[in-house]
Amino acid sequence: MVSKLPNIGTTIFTVMSNLAKEHNAINLSQGFPDYPISPVLVDLVTKAMQDGYNQYAPMIGVPELRIALAEKMNKLYQSSIHPDTEITITPGGTYAIYAAFTTILQAGDEVIVLEPAYDSYIPTIETNGAKAICIPLRYPDYSVDWELVKASITAKTKAIIINTPHNPTGYVWTHDDMLKLDEVTKDTSMYIISDEVYEHITLDGRTHESVLKYPSLFARSIVIYSFGKVFHTTGWKMGYCVAPAELMNEFRKIHQFLSFTCNTPMQVALAQFLTDENEYLLLPSFFEQKRNLLLELLRDLPFTIHQKAQGSYFQLASYEKINDMPDKEFAIWLTKEYGVATIPVSAFNHNGKDDKLIRFCFAKKDETLELACQRLSKLQQR
Ligand code: GLN
């Protein structure tokens, strides 16, 4: 058959998680927590099921959940999102990214992608018949080279996809980045796909710059969020998408024939759980402690940290002092020989550009991080 994605294999998250299982390694690769979720949330889902919320939810999502989300966003980002016309509940963030690109792209369009980039972006652009125009972020701080972005815009540029806090680098966009984004895109007909799934994981007193805070940006944006990252429930595959009414109307035309809707009891439970602001407002201190612990443990190992994670739950580390294997080989070797799985960062570059970096996920119990670094303590500096 003719493959839609001839150069794409299995996603690195599946490859490394499978390898971790096979070799009984501690899995700091794929981003997911290993600690329990809130028992209150579990009880709310159970109750929703017992109360009979077991049939199809409305296509756009349970109204109470959309209302709770609109209130939360409007308070946090001083926006005026309408729960009926501007929010759709989706089966996860990756799904919403796919549906968003399918909504806006025509064959031959170009999309600007800042690399390293989450591995679904480019294949999603390509299955929609469009072309990714890849621009490297500045190494090693991963800030945006706005001159390069500007120079890459052509008559075919349909969109730019941005991601803050950033996976895998942990870079958090500044107010100035948002102003630059506005300046560079305002006289174009480009859309902005804004992947904000780590919105609540900003560290060291940073604040999240959502496109929702900038009306002129939001007017041409589709914004992606994830409950998995906020409530530690990645396995629920629940997220949502926010866009101005006209765009959202088009998004829903796609969504209704992709998954139609998503599971009802979790939506009912999440609507109730959202009333407790602390569940998300306390995430920065929760994850700051974990990042600091990981950094402290790594300090005694032969890794080099070029940049502390500013946000997200990922920390990059260079292994230049250990050996000069390609990063994929290094990550496999570390999993097999030392029992710790990580993600090689070249998996986030379309051309396999290899800066000899691996990504650690620190959304783990303290004891998991400690045990992993204990295993890594056998590593020798070359
Ligand atoms: N977002 C998660 C990560 O970057 C994984 C998503 C996935 O496994 N598809 O690790």
Side-chain angles (χ1 to χ4, degrees), residues 21-152:
K21 226 176 236 156
E22 192 186 320
H23 294 274
N24 234 328
I26 296 172
N27 191 356
L28 306 186
S29 66
Q30 191 177 25
F32 63 87
D34 72 340
Y35 41 80
I37 68 165
S38 163
V40 176
L41 185 51
V42 174
D43 286 346
L44 287 171
V45 177
T46 309
K47 181 157 190 315
M49 288 182 180
Q50 285 165 344
D51 288 349
Y53 291 101
N54 299 303
Q55 308 309 329
Y56 292 127
M59 183 267 278
I60 64 175
V62 165
E64 290 77 8
L65 180 55
R66 285 181 285 103
I67 291 166
L69 289 171
E71 276 171 12
K72 167 178 179 280
M73 288 184 278
N74 293 343
K75 183 167 174 197
L76 287 177
Y77 304 130
Q78 301 83 49
S79 52
S80 51
I81 303 303
H82 196 287
D84 291 337
T85 54
E86 297 184 310
I87 305 176
T88 299
I89 311 301
T90 63
T94 302
Y95 170 101
I97 292 165
Y98 193 98
F101 275 129
T102 305
T103 301
I104 59 167
L105 292 179
Q106 307 285 339
D109 284 346
E110 292 179 358
V111 181
I112 295 178
V113 178
L114 307 170
E115 283 190 321
Y118 182 57
D119 75 339
S120 87
Y121 297 167
I122 296 175
T124 299
I125 291 164
E126 291 177 350
T127 43
N128 280 292
K131 189 175 169 201
I133 305 298
C134 299
I135 296 183
L137 292 164
R138 287 201 192 99
Y139 181 82
D141 74 342
Y142 298 104
S143 58
V144 183
D145 184 338
W146 286 105
E147 285 312 309
L148 216 52
V149 173
K150 210 167 163 179
S152 308

Side-chain angles (χ1 to χ4, degrees), residues 11 13-14 29-31 94 118-119 167 198 229 314 348 359:
T11 167
F13 305 116
T14 298
S29 66
Q30 191 177 25
T94 302
Y118 182 57
D119 75 339
N167 176 11
Y198 298 100
K229 313 296 187 284
F314 304 115
F348 299 85
R359 188 194 80 173

